[in-house]
Amino acid sequence: MAIISEYFFPSSDGKTLIHVNQWTPVGQEIVGVVQIAHGVAEYGARYAPFAQYLCGRGFAVVANDHLGHGLSRIEGGPMVYLGEADGWQHVVDDMEELRRRTAKLFPGKPYFLFGHSMGSFLSRTHLIRYPGRLSGCVLCGTGHPSPAIIAGGKLVANQEIKRLGKKAYSAKADDLAFGAYNKRFAPNRTKFDWVSASEANVDAYIADPLCGGNATLGLFRDMLDGLSFITKQSHIEQMDKDLPVFFIAGDQDPVGDMGKGVRRAYACFHKAGIHDLHIKLYPGLRHEILNEASRQYIFQDISDWLEARV
């Protein structure tokens, strides 16, 4: 049982209001707080089943909609767009602002960050820029592309931005990113087969008007800049060495290069001296492991890991 509330706070971009969903346990002691950072072309309220489960285990949960997603709409800008300048950093700063606000509501409680997909990349940026603020972090559906892949993506993004502008959609850039993910599962039923092994989950994603929107060229470029930042070993070494980190993903998730990219990220964290590291890859699952038929087992793995660190 949870009290569900919503509110807005000003973004660090100085003009956008950031939408927040909050779930607060009722009738039990609050043992900790979990802040969720969602993925690209989705929004915080999609994590309601996971949040309700965590509330049942005593955790308060918050999830904001990132800039250009859900109800955090940039005035005059398209969806799936982080803004004209410094969008990636604004999103990370908004995450830190939500952490500060929520920590004041639940003083003294262990505070955890959960990031999925793009949210895992944003979370890793947060861990580097704001070390020592958290009790632990769960990185779900993450990856660790090579410098060559990132450089190639930037080249295409910059060419397309010069041709079309940052607010535009480019089929060429989209095919380079998401199209490459989907080709792993050819012949394809939909363009989002990579999202889930369950056709019902894929169909629900497609039917949701706030999911699957066309990513702008600006977002592609911002994300590539973010990936450059988080995959640099000297940056990883700026993280809190005592921070517990749990990597989870489907072993058929193309974002994590079918598990290989998740293991590369894990190895880089280990090399940086972060000692409380765990990793679990789920056989047969693709990108959105929290929405699969087996999600209750994954929810329990996460909550067990969190409770061991409360």
Side-chain angles (χ1 to χ4, degrees):
M1 188 71 177
I3 296 173
I4 303 171
S5 57
E6 300 177 59
Y7 65 92
F8 291 84
F9 69 86
S11 170
S12 65
D13 75 353
K15 56 187 177 182
T16 306
L17 290 176
I18 299 300
H19 176 254
V20 179
N21 288 279
Q22 181 171 311
W23 296 264
T24 307
V26 177
Q28 60 183 310
E29 179 187 358
I30 295 175
V31 298
V33 183
V34 177
Q35 178 175 327
I36 295 171
H38 67 74
V40 68
E42 58 159 353
Y43 55 101
R46 287 192 78 223
Y47 293 78
F50 179 48
Q52 292 278 12
Y53 179 92
L54 290 176
C55 279
R57 303 287 287 261
F59 290 93
V61 182
V62 289
N64 69 287
D65 299 344
H66 302 313
L67 280 169
H69 290 73
L71 300 182
S72 300
R73 301 186 178 184
I74 299 173
E75 185 175 353
M79 294 298 288
V80 201
Y81 176 66
L82 305 182
E84 276 300 303
D86 301 319
W88 191 264
Q89 303 307 329
H90 284 314
V91 174
V92 175
D93 288 340
D94 292 342
M95 290 167 57
E96 171 59 13
E97 176 62 19
L98 177 59
R99 187 205 64 80
R100 286 195 294 262
R101 288 170 177 262
T102 308
K104 287 180 181 178
L105 292 176
F106 305 101
K109 300 298 182 182
Y111 201 107
F112 299 90
L113 184 58
F114 175 97
H116 170 69
S117 191
M118 181 183 77
S120 77
F121 304 144
L122 290 163
S123 296
R124 287 161 66 178
T125 308
H126 184 280
L127 299 185
I128 295 166
R129 288 189 54 209
Y130 294 105
R133 312 292 174 93
L134 300 166
S135 302
C137 183
V138 181
L139 297 171
C140 176
T142 201
H144 203 80
S146 69
I149 289 175
I150 296 171
K154 284 185 179 181
L155 179 63
V156 171
N158 288 337
Q159 289 173 343
E160 291 294 273
I161 287 172
K162 187 175 181 180
R163 185 171 70 91
L164 300 170
K166 289 186 71 175
K167 295 180 180 179
Y169 164 78
S170 164
K172 182 178 181 180
D174 189 85
D175 188 60
L176 179 69
F178 303 117
Y181 294 159
N182 221 34
K183 287 172 185 174
R184 303 271 194 132
F185 305 101
N188 300 127
R189 186 179 68 93
T190 77
K191 66 181 290 187
F192 297 108
D193 290 359
W194 62 276
V195 167
S196 174
S198 164
E199 291 187 359
N201 290 339
V202 171
D203 291 343
Y205 179 88
I206 293 170
D208 191 326
L210 294 179
C211 283
N214 289 330
T216 58
L217 284 164
L219 181 136
F220 275 122
R221 175 63 207 218
D222 287 342
M223 193 184 309
L224 288 162
D225 286 342
L227 286 168
S228 291
F229 182 82
I230 67 171
T231 53
K232 191 172 182 179
Q233 189 64 33
S234 62
H235 290 162
I236 299 171
E237 289 169 0
Q238 295 173 27
M239 291 168 48
D240 177 7
K241 302 298 189 292
D242 295 324
L243 180 77
V245 180
F246 187 20
F247 290 88
I248 56 172
D251 74 352
Q252 297 300 302
D253 181 0
V255 175
D257 194 16
M258 308 313 205
K260 293 191 288 292
V262 186
R263 293 190 183 96
R264 284 196 296 272
Y266 176 95
C268 289
F269 278 48
H270 185 268
K271 182 179 179 181
I274 300 166
H275 51 86
D276 188 352
L277 291 173
H278 289 76
I279 184 171
K280 186 165 185 177
L281 300 176
Y282 294 88
L285 299 188
R286 299 182 189 179
H287 190 51
E288 289 196 345
I289 61 175
L290 296 190
N291 291 326
E292 298 288 13
S294 58
R295 66 186 184 183
Q296 291 294 322
Y297 299 104
I298 299 165
F299 289 1
Q300 182 171 340
D301 286 344
I302 296 167
S303 62
D304 287 349
W305 183 88
L306 293 170
E307 287 170 5
R309 284 152 186 83
V310 167

